[in-house]
Amino acid sequence: MAVVVRLDELLHARRMTLTELSAAVDITLANLSVLKTGKARAIRFSTLEAICRVLDCQPGDLLAVEGAPQADNGQEEP
Amino acid sequence: MKDHHSLTAARWLLRGVFWLNISSAIGFAAFMLFSVFGHAMLADHLARKYAGRLDVDTLIVAMRLLFVIGLAAVAVAWVIITRLLAMIATVTAGDPFVTPNARRLHEIGWALVGWQLLDLAGGVIITWIGRMGADVTGWTPSLAGWVVTLLVFVLARVFAAGTTMRDDLQGTV
């Protein structure tokens, strides 16, 4: 199992480039590139918050665990 | 800039100590060879100096042991000097918090343990020579040396932990 970053898909859906995101969240292009290519070892809450705010998404939209079974949290679907 | 100058000074000083160390090795080796091949001359000189008050052959054996300890100390100093020079090179290159430097500091710690043990062995021989009745400079055990050795091991551990934290931070976005 590995945590995958779906930044590329989110950017594509928002018609946004990595450079534009970099300017919007005030994080260097190099660091965002590291995140996008899955080479990051950790992500700060502040980074996560900034990206989610700009891309109007939830952390779960950005990060996913690949190969993990679907978690059953006991909540009923509406 | 001040730090840069202190690093340059440290590098030149260590290079000087490096060559002084090599000279010491040559000196110890030369004394050792002289005590073997010039044994008769040395024994005659010592016999005249101490006028039969001590066993000259035993004194020469003790002196040879001191030369062996001196040569071992040169090897230990070589380990310390080369590791320090390598560490300074990484500081100059701008990236000192790397795993090899933590390992180098740890090696310096072990070299200092060796140094302290050699000091103890040297102390035993110097005391032995003194009891024979020969002229020797005094020797006292170095408590500060053991404290410094312990300090280097603690610093090596701190350095290793810091390097791991730095590695983690480098991959943090």
Side-chain angles (χ1 to χ4, degrees), chain A residues 31 34 40-44 47, chain B residues 164 167-173:
Chain A
N31 269 349
V34 165
R41 291 171 69 175
I43 180 166
R44 290 188 183 91
T47 304
Chain B
T164 308
D167 284 348
D168 277 347
L169 205 61
Q170 267 201 327
T172 301
V173 175

Side-chain angles (χ1 to χ4, degrees), chain B residues 21 28 62 64-80 108-127 139-142 145-146 149:
Chain B
N21 197 42
F28 285 130
R64 282 176 187 161
L65 284 173
L66 276 182
F67 298 149
V68 169
I69 288 172
L71 281 170
V74 164
V76 167
W78 184 81
V79 169
I80 295 171
I108 288 172
W110 279 113
L112 286 172
V113 169
W115 188 281
Q116 290 303 118
L117 291 175
L118 287 171
D119 181 54
L120 283 178
V124 169
I125 294 168
I126 285 170
T127 307
W139 174 84
T140 47
S142 166
W146 285 106
T149 304

Side-chain angles (χ1 to χ4, degrees), chain B residues 113-167:
Chain B
V113 169
W115 188 281
Q116 290 303 118
L117 291 175
L118 287 171
D119 181 54
L120 283 178
V124 169
I125 294 168
I126 285 170
T127 307
W128 179 36
I129 292 175
R131 285 188 181 172
M132 279 184 219
D135 300 332
V136 280
T137 53
W139 174 84
T140 47
S142 166
L143 184 64
W146 285 106
V147 172
V148 168
T149 304
L150 192 66
L151 185 70
V152 168
F153 274 114
V154 171
L155 284 178
R157 193 72 205 99
V158 169
F159 203 98
T163 303
T164 308
M165 284 170 72
R166 209 282 304 250
D167 284 348

